[in-house]
Amino acid sequence: MAPAVEVSNSWDSSLMPELLPIYYKKLFPFTQYFKWLRYKESGPNYFKNREFSFTLKDDIYLRYRSYADQAEMEKDIRSKCPYKIDIGAVYTCSPKLRDMVRAGEFVAQYKELVFDIDMTDYDDVRSCCSGADICLSCWPLMTIAIKIIHRALTEDFGFKHLLWVYSGRRGVHCWVCDEKARKLSAAARAAVAEYLSLVKGGANMKKKVVLKYNQLHVSIRKALEIISDYFDDYFVNRQDLLSTEEQFQTLKGLITDEQVLALIKELEDTDGFGETSKLRWACLKGIFCKRMSSEGSVCTSAPLHEMPHDMKEIMLQYTYPRLDVNVSKGVNHLLKSPFCIHPKTGRVCVPIDINHVDTFDPFKVPTLHDLTEQLAVWKGEGNLLDYKKTSLKPYIESFEKFLTTLSKHNTESDNIVMDTTA
């Protein structure tokens, strides 16, 4: 079993009531946040009809919050100081006025296509942590997930505006903000989520990835190419997932190729596997390589994703993204907002720059305590905005960069519509 890479987290959640008012007054990016959610090209009621929900101290839950403008939203958030903010759908009318319309007339119309990837769903393929705990040894699973999902959504579906956000504790969220994504029906959302779902079955199912022989979809092939860059390091060095006989037998149970199983037994009978993950994995790759050679393939330079069928299924079962499909398919499903504070860790739910996903470290994300301390000790001169005095600065700048691209694309789309209707 691989030891967790210990990272200190001295967050004291009892500080939330004292520090949250400072955060919402000085640091929360209300202007950028409003610019994002109003989607100017979608009409004046788009923001007004958006649902927000709050979780307050002592788990008091408030749904169907909605606002006429940025000022009203700021006032309510600063007044309530929510421990958590969730963003919901854009409805047919303002959520706060839902009781004034007839039954059936208050309907969720639009929302970003969203994805939720949670480390707890990977407990069977990580040995360092379990449950809500994470460390740097298992975080590569999130890196792999982001890269695979991002590639599929942009290349296979043509989406352009994806906002990746750290959940503040044990996972990541993706907000697909393209207009065509926001208008998807529940059935279409479910179809996209199913397209991206490969690991199937609960805790009692041993083999959770079953591929069709000789029909490897291009999306799976591309995913394997991404996984190949990380698999050996994750599987052997970080997780040590073949260090016990039980782990070895678990992996062997995923293999269906009779010739491979015969080669494994032959090596087992001569005690040729060794006792470390490194030795066992090297032997298994050698066996798969030998199997390729028997089919006339040259294996000495073959990358992992070109290995035999069982090898691909193993790689996918251990590292392919595990999505909560229910989060994605419901138009009215709420999801935690970017830039709120996770009460269990104190960390800000910050955007993740897709161009720097390999260097993203969840343990270096600023905490509420960090930010208020940085404000308190600031000695600089000039009229800087408060967030620029703190370690939140690069994350808000990354968010602004995303918004600039989104706004530019929407403007260009408007011009195209005007040209074609002139």
Side-chain angles (χ1 to χ4, degrees):
M1 178 179 292
V5 178
E6 296 293 337
V7 181
S8 147
N9 182 20
S10 56
W11 166 246
D12 179 359
S13 60
S14 68
L15 294 172
M16 289 282 279
E18 175 187 347
L19 301 183
L20 269 178
I22 301 172
Y23 177 73
Y24 285 126
K25 182 179 180 181
K26 295 178 175 290
L27 297 172
F28 190 90
F30 284 108
T31 300
Q32 297 91 334
Y33 193 72
F34 175 71
K35 181 180 179 181
W36 170 39
L37 293 174
R38 71 173 176 167
Y39 292 102
K40 187 177 180 181
E41 83 289 351
S42 297
N45 291 326
Y46 208 83
F47 183 78
K48 294 177 182 179
N49 293 354
R50 171 82 72 165
E51 180 193 2
F52 297 84
S53 75
F54 294 167
T55 303
L56 309 182
K57 184 182 178 183
D58 300 323
D59 288 329
I60 297 171
Y61 187 53
L62 305 177
R63 273 202 74 174
Y64 301 116
R65 319 295 291 179
S66 58
Y67 311 104
D69 52 30
Q70 179 182 333
E72 187 179 345
M73 175 183 66
E74 283 192 42
K75 182 178 179 181
D76 193 38
I77 290 177
R78 286 172 173 167
S79 167
K80 298 288 191 299
C81 282
Y83 279 37
K84 180 187 175 192
I85 303 172
D86 287 294
I87 300 173
V90 177
Y91 284 81
T92 45
C93 73
S94 173
K96 64 184 175 185
L97 302 178
R98 68 194 182 283
D99 294 332
M100 299 175 65
V101 299
R102 286 180 291 185
E105 292 184 355
F106 180 64
V107 179
Q109 287 187 302
Y110 314 116
K111 195 191 69 175
E112 297 79 4
L113 175 62
V114 296
F115 298 92
D116 180 10
I117 308 170
D118 195 313
M119 193 73 84
T120 56
D121 294 324
Y122 292 84
D123 278 358
D124 61 316
V125 292
R126 57 181 185 144
S127 62
C128 52
C129 307
S130 62
D133 293 333
I134 64 167
C135 72
L136 295 179
S137 289
C138 55
W139 188 255
L141 288 169
M142 294 295 105
T143 303
I144 293 168
I146 291 171
K147 288 193 169 186
I148 289 175
I149 299 300
H150 192 91
R151 188 220 62 80
L153 290 173
T154 55
E155 295 182 17
D156 300 350
F157 290 95
F159 296 125
K160 299 180 183 299
H161 306 292
L162 279 62
L163 178 64
W164 286 97
V165 181
Y166 172 48
S167 72
R169 190 179 190 187
R170 60 177 183 254
V172 295
H173 300 152
C174 178
W175 299 76
V176 186
C177 301
D178 301 54
E179 183 178 10
K180 65 180 180 179
R182 289 181 271 129
K183 290 181 175 180
L184 289 174
S185 66
R189 292 165 192 266
V192 175
E194 286 295 336
Y195 175 89
L196 296 170
S197 298
L198 197 59
V199 181
K200 305 289 181 70
N204 295 325
M205 184 175 289
K206 292 181 180 178
K207 190 172 180 65
K208 298 179 181 178
V209 175
V210 179
L211 302 176
K212 293 181 180 179
Y213 278 91
N214 302 320
Q215 293 184 20
L216 195 63
H217 192 280
V218 63
S219 182
I220 298 173
R221 180 175 60 79
K222 295 273 190 176
L224 284 164
E225 290 173 4
I226 292 170
I227 289 169
S228 295
D229 292 336
Y230 298 89
F231 193 80
D232 276 6
D233 179 57
Y234 176 77
F235 189 78
V236 175
N237 301 330
R238 293 176 181 267
Q239 295 298 321
D240 201 17
L241 285 170
L242 290 179
S243 61
T244 69
E245 185 61 24
E246 181 183 0
Q247 290 173 324
F248 181 71
Q249 293 303 322
T250 295
L251 183 139
K252 199 168 81 169
L254 304 179
I255 299 171
T256 56
D257 188 311
E258 293 297 332
Q259 291 188 46
V260 170
L261 289 170
L263 290 168
I264 289 174
K265 186 176 186 309
E266 182 181 315
L267 199 57
E268 282 181 309
D269 289 343
T270 59
D271 294 324
F273 264 106
E275 296 181 352
T276 68
S277 290
K278 186 174 183 179
L279 284 173
R280 286 174 168 174
W281 183 235
C283 288
L284 281 170
K285 285 201 293 183
I287 287 171
F288 279 115
C289 197
K290 189 173 182 180
R291 177 73 174 93
M292 286 179 71
S293 297
S294 71
E295 295 180 341
S297 301
V298 178
C299 71
T300 53
S301 61
L304 285 176
H305 65 269
E306 292 182 9
M307 284 288 189
H309 202 77
D310 283 327
M311 182 75 140
K312 295 169 186 172
E313 291 180 338
I314 288 169
M315 293 169 64
L316 292 164
Q317 178 151 332
Y318 278 87
T319 56
Y320 190 84
R322 302 183 177 198
L323 302 177
D324 185 339
V325 174
N326 290 325
V327 171
S328 301
K329 70 182 183 181
V331 180
N332 62 345
H333 197 289
L334 294 105
L335 187 64
K336 187 192 303 175
S337 168
F339 293 104
C340 63
I341 308 294
H342 197 296
K344 298 291 186 183
T345 64
R347 296 186 199 120
V348 185
C349 299
V350 295
I352 300 172
D353 187 337
I354 188 63
N355 296 313
H356 299 98
V357 64
D358 280 307
T359 57
F360 179 82
D361 182 343
F363 298 102
K364 291 183 179 178
V365 168
T367 67
L368 180 57
H369 184 264
D370 293 336
L371 297 173
T372 51
E373 283 289 302
Q374 289 162 10
L375 277 179
V377 302
W378 171 257
K379 302 290 186 184
E381 298 178 356
N383 254 345
L384 274 184
L385 294 171
D386 284 322
Y387 78 82
K388 294 187 176 182
K389 304 171 186 175
T390 72
S391 53
L392 195 59
K393 178 177 180 285
Y395 300 104
I396 292 182
E397 289 176 345
S398 175
F399 187 44
E400 288 175 334
K401 183 179 178 182
F402 167 79
L403 294 176
T404 298
T405 304
L406 179 63
S407 177
K408 180 181 179 182
H409 180 264
N410 289 335
T411 301
E412 290 172 351
S413 298
D414 288 345
N415 289 338
I416 291 171
V417 171
M418 290 174 66
D419 289 343
T420 57
T421 56

